[in-house]
Amino acid sequence: LAVLLLLTACGQTATSPPAVLSTGFSCAADVTYRERSFGIGLIRPGPGICTIDFQSPETMSGMRIEFEGETMNLTYKGLTLSKDTDDSFRVGFASVLASVLDSACRADPASIKESGGSLLLEGSTEYGAYTITAQPDGTLASIEVPDEKLTLALRDFQPS
């Protein structure tokens, strides 16, 4: 029954989260986090799994952060740090983003609204309230987490 509810909750209808949140996607994103800007590649094959590849600024290019279940791996210049996601260790906006994407898949249909031809999925995590904007076809366009001063403009979106 729980599996059926999860599948139903992540299927795409007018009042449910875009299916790509559970079936997977990849994209590039322009990130603004507090006073900093980053260019990233984002791969999300499904719930609980998220890979962030930094492309800019140059000083962070090549850094990879992977979330898989309860484990987070940070790899940079041949060094790898592995931590449980339950630890107090956080990786800036990457931890926020992984949490938002997992929460959005389980969103209550009442939290989804239509506005100007787009779908707005609103929810909250331990990092505060968030809004994900999606096109009617399920293509994600942006993610905002105001309490964390985090904004992602998604581009080159590809469903899995």
Side-chain angles (χ1 to χ4, degrees):
L1 180 61
V3 172
L4 180 61
L5 290 174
L6 279 175
L7 291 174
T8 303
C10 291
Q12 187 171 358
T13 67
T15 59
S16 64
V20 295
L21 289 168
S22 60
T23 60
F25 66 89
S26 62
C27 66
D30 298 314
V31 179
T32 302
Y33 179 60
R34 300 188 176 155
E35 304 284 323
R36 304 190 70 191
S37 296
F38 307 93
I40 65 167
L42 174 61
I43 302 168
R44 177 164 166 96
I49 305 169
C50 182
T51 300
I52 299 166
D53 289 310
F54 285 82
Q55 299 163 344
S56 66
E58 187 175 326
T59 55
M60 295 183 73
S61 181
M63 180 183 292
R64 171 175 271 200
I65 301 173
E66 300 172 287
F67 294 89
E68 187 166 348
E70 300 299 317
T71 304
M72 184 276 309
N73 294 309
L74 184 149
T75 304
Y76 187 57
K77 296 189 179 191
L79 300 173
T80 300
L81 170 68
S82 295
K83 298 289 284 178
D84 288 339
T85 55
D86 290 349
D87 289 348
S88 61
F89 182 79
R90 300 283 187 239
V91 190
F93 81 85
S95 296
V96 177
L97 178 58
S99 178
V100 165
L101 291 173
D102 285 341
S103 171
C105 182
R106 300 182 303 270
D108 178 348
S111 67
I112 301 169
K113 301 173 182 142
E114 290 187 50
S115 177
S118 295
L119 298 175
L120 301 179
L121 190 156
E122 297 174 336
S124 64
T125 70
E126 67 270 25
Y127 299 103
Y130 64 82
T131 302
I132 296 177
T133 304
Q135 301 305 317
D137 67 358
T139 299
L140 304 184
S142 66
I143 301 171
E144 294 183 54
V145 186
D147 289 352
E148 290 290 326
K149 299 178 184 162
L150 173 64
T151 303
L152 288 89
L154 308 179
R155 56 187 164 76
D156 304 329
F157 192 88
Q158 296 294 317
S160 294

